[in-house]
Amino acid sequence: MRALLQRVSRASVSVDGAVVGEIGAGLLILICAMQGDTEVQADKLAAKIAKLRIFKDAGGKMNLSVKDAGGAALVVSQFTLAADLRGNRPGFSYAAAPEEGRRLYEYFSGRMAAEGIVVARGIFGADMDVALNNDGPVTIWMDTDDL
């Protein structure tokens, strides 16, 4: 699985002009299931993200996890993280099939909630408008192949 994390002061996702998910301070997590991914990768990614210390402590150092900081997570499906950029037009054949991608997206969201983090979500497969205020900015790329 691949994820792009952005530490945010607030974020929201809208579909057809209606807000379907929003958070205050926390993480915007753009997530993509890749071919061959299973619950194992989703579990690994959720555990790592939940413990990742990228929020400031009282001394201003990045020393707190999203949970420690009292933040939430907005999880948004993002199959374009699987882009194959060998040509000038990206290909997405490395992404999991839509049914499997949806299942793993929902599973991952549940695993984040099981870590004790309040989770809001986008709508899988929808044309979404994501708004955010990147805090820092702090943006981190994660791939379970690297964990």
Side-chain angles (χ1 to χ4, degrees), residues 54-103:
I54 59 172
F55 289 83
K56 293 178 185 176
D57 63 14
K61 293 190 179 220
M62 288 200 304
N63 201 29
L64 301 175
S65 70
V66 63
K67 185 176 174 182
D68 295 337
L74 176 57
V75 181
V76 177
S77 60
Q78 183 73 54
F79 80 93
T80 59
L81 291 176
D84 174 358
L85 300 173
R86 286 180 276 189
N88 291 327
R89 183 173 181 264
F92 303 105
S93 61
Y94 297 136
E99 305 80 32
E100 186 66 0
R102 177 188 307 269
R103 188 182 73 74

Side-chain angles (χ1 to χ4, degrees), residues 24-44:
L27 291 174
L28 170 61
I29 304 171
L30 303 176
I31 187 88
C32 177
M34 306 293 287
Q35 283 186 14
D37 283 346
T38 67
E39 291 87 350
V40 171
Q41 285 79 20
D43 289 341
K44 191 181 212 184

Side-chain angles (χ1 to χ4, degrees), residues 7 22 45 47 57 60 68 80 98 101-102 104 107 134 139 146:
R7 189 179 74 186
E22 65 183 328
L45 193 59
D57 63 14
D68 295 337
T80 59
R102 177 188 307 269
L104 288 170
Y107 181 83
N134 195 316
T139 302
D146 300 330

